Amino acid sequence: MNASTQALPVAVIGAGPVGLAAAAHLTERGITPLVLEAGTSAATAVRQWGHVRLFSTWSELVDPAAEKLLAPTGWTAPDGTTYPSGADWAALYLQPLADILGEKVRYGATVTGVSRLGRDRIVDADREQQPFTVRIANADGTEERILASAVIDASGTWSTPGPLGGDGLPALGEKANADRISYRIPDLKDPAVRARYTGKRTAVIGSGASAFTALAYLADLARADDAAATRATWILRRGISSTTFGGGTADQLPARGALGLAAKAAVEDGYADAVTGFRTDAIQRDSDGRLVLVAEDGRRLDPVDEVIVLTGLRPDLTFLEELRLALDERLQAPVDLAPLIDPNQHSCGTVYPHGVKELSHPEQGVYLVGMKSYGRAPTFLAMTGYEQVRSIAAHLAGDQEAAERVELTLPETGVCGGAGLFDQPQAAEATSGGCCAAPATLTIGAPASSSGGC
């Protein structure tokens, strides 16, 4: 890029944990960021799951460059050994960080398109000499265009949850029955939400941390005196194996291991019935108005009152379609990153730290980071995103040595490799020692407080 282009700000899409960390690292490097946030405050998505407790401690959730920005203001980091809720994370760290960045963060600014100035995706001539053009829809209904020297997309995946259907499409009847389907972990401290699930039979679809959390929450509700009839039907697209509930006591993030144990307890204590190998094709209403899930193989489940779909999240790539991105055809993650995060092979702790090299695209100067960079893979940790943007900021500042240096060690999950996406009966169970061994039988006591997120 020419000198005038280099003087432009770096557009950062999203004022969530990784977007704000990117702004902090850019600021530390003397590069001006402009953070574009669609919501009215920082961490809009995080606030929407504010009732959920993370399974990472505060020490793993505060970015070092961000802490340097905050320290001169008198900000004190919370106890690093404790686990915040999403609301805590937003109020005690993310909003103060956004406030320090001041006018570098714009709210009510929804990015609707990104391209090169005067060049659509098919034009080669002088492409890399042109700045990026970022189209914005403002909260007041006006539109504008800003120019940027680079684009860091940290918009996440929260707005695009996966559907109920086992083929990746909405199940037949899913949209027609939307009033009885939720795609979020319920906040059972909210009286209206609590009333929705109290005394009801709820189907929970999914096999990750979010599904564990929902099962544990519903089990807690069932234990309450006023909710004796509360039950869950846990629907898994795969079978139950030695790794279904995570690494348990072998997980180096203890709260993450405890979350799996809490879900296991919900099943073993009779608060949830597990249905395995069920890939939903349709959802219908019976004569009483209850919902009946129908599988691809024709199986029909007993009626339920509510459905909670927690089948993962997806990246919204529509506003990036004029850029030349190299994305894996399965995960929709950068092609050099995809082999490192493939959920068939990796869990959170077996993913290698990575940076600008793995996150680069044919379109130089554009980066997908944070949850967005993982595409459909569910294994993201906040500290991974912080390392990503540290490396990118170093690269944009011309410090290639720092950009290529690894400054992160990830905690092991206690599960070697990924959980996979589909049962393969012919695959033998691992029996060797170490991480890859099948976990020993787990003794379940009182469930730990439910945790979600990373």
Side-chain angles (χ1 to χ4, degrees), residues 60-403:
E60 297 153 336
L61 295 169
V62 175
D63 175 78
E67 188 167 10
K68 289 179 184 177
L69 273 183
L70 286 163
T73 70
W75 180 85
T76 302
D79 182 350
T81 65
T82 59
Y83 298 89
S85 65
D88 295 334
W89 200 18
L92 302 179
Y93 166 60
L94 296 170
Q95 190 62 57
L97 176 56
D99 292 343
I100 287 298
L101 290 166
E103 293 183 356
K104 295 174 182 175
V105 181
R106 283 185 53 181
Y107 301 112
T110 301
V111 175
T112 59
V114 182
S115 187
R116 291 280 190 178
L117 184 62
R119 308 289 189 275
D120 64 22
R121 68 183 297 162
I122 68 173
V123 176
D124 292 332
D126 297 325
R127 186 175 189 85
E128 293 179 6
Q129 303 306 312
Q130 303 303 312
F132 289 95
T133 176
V134 182
R135 189 68 59 86
I136 299 170
N138 293 310
D140 62 4
T142 61
E143 292 182 292
E144 65 177 297
R145 182 190 69 192
I146 67 167
L147 301 182
S149 58
V151 175
I152 298 176
D153 182 359
S155 59
T157 55
W158 177 255
S159 63
T160 47
L164 173 60
D167 55 7
L169 301 173
L172 298 176
E174 184 169 346
K175 293 181 180 179
N177 293 289
D179 61 319
R180 306 278 284 279
I181 301 174
S182 171
Y183 300 85
R184 310 301 186 195
I185 298 169
D187 180 3
L188 297 180
K189 293 181 180 179
D190 182 319
V193 177
R194 189 178 184 88
R196 176 174 178 174
Y197 296 101
T198 297
K200 304 291 181 61
R201 168 73 71 167
T202 300
V204 177
I205 297 92
S207 58
S210 294
F212 291 169
T213 304
L215 289 169
Y217 281 8
L218 291 171
D220 286 344
L221 180 61
R223 294 184 183 97
D225 291 340
D226 61 345
T230 303
R231 288 294 181 270
T233 299
W234 183 26
I235 299 173
L236 298 95
R237 293 171 177 173
R238 304 178 64 241
I240 292 180
S241 70
S242 59
T243 60
T244 295
F245 297 98
T249 56
D251 196 323
Q252 289 183 7
L253 290 178
R256 182 171 59 191
L259 179 60
L261 297 183
K264 192 171 191 287
V267 174
E268 293 189 345
D269 293 348
Y271 297 114
D273 302 318
V275 178
T276 60
F278 193 97
R279 305 181 76 83
T280 307
D281 179 66
I283 184 167
Q284 303 169 352
R285 294 215 184 200
D286 68 5
S287 58
D288 295 327
R290 304 181 79 197
L291 303 179
V292 177
L293 274 65
V294 183
E296 294 173 353
D297 60 9
R299 281 184 292 162
R300 299 171 66 88
L301 298 185
D302 290 339
V304 298
D305 302 290
E306 299 285 343
V307 177
I308 299 175
V309 181
L310 299 168
T311 55
L313 302 164
R314 302 175 174 188
D316 177 6
L317 301 168
T318 56
F319 61 87
L320 302 176
E321 62 185 8
E322 290 305 318
L323 298 177
R324 298 175 177 181
L325 303 181
L327 298 175
D328 179 76
E329 61 185 11
R330 294 175 305 151
L331 298 183
Q332 295 178 297
V335 290
D336 289 338
L337 175 60
L340 305 181
I341 62 173
D342 185 343
N344 288 294
Q345 304 295 329
H346 298 285
S347 59
C348 292
T350 58
V351 173
Y352 296 102
H354 52 274
V356 67
K357 177 179 179 294
E358 293 82 6
L359 297 169
S360 293
H361 293 276
E363 192 81 69
Q364 295 183 22
V366 61
Y367 308 95
L368 278 58
V369 300
M371 281 290 295
K372 185 83 170 263
S373 71
Y374 271 45
R376 298 194 182 195
T379 49
F380 180 75
L381 290 172
M383 63 182 84
T384 302
Y386 296 162
E387 172 68 2
Q388 290 178 340
V389 296
R390 181 205 63 79
S391 173
I392 291 169
H395 171 74
L396 293 175
D399 187 350
Q400 202 58 30
E401 186 277 329

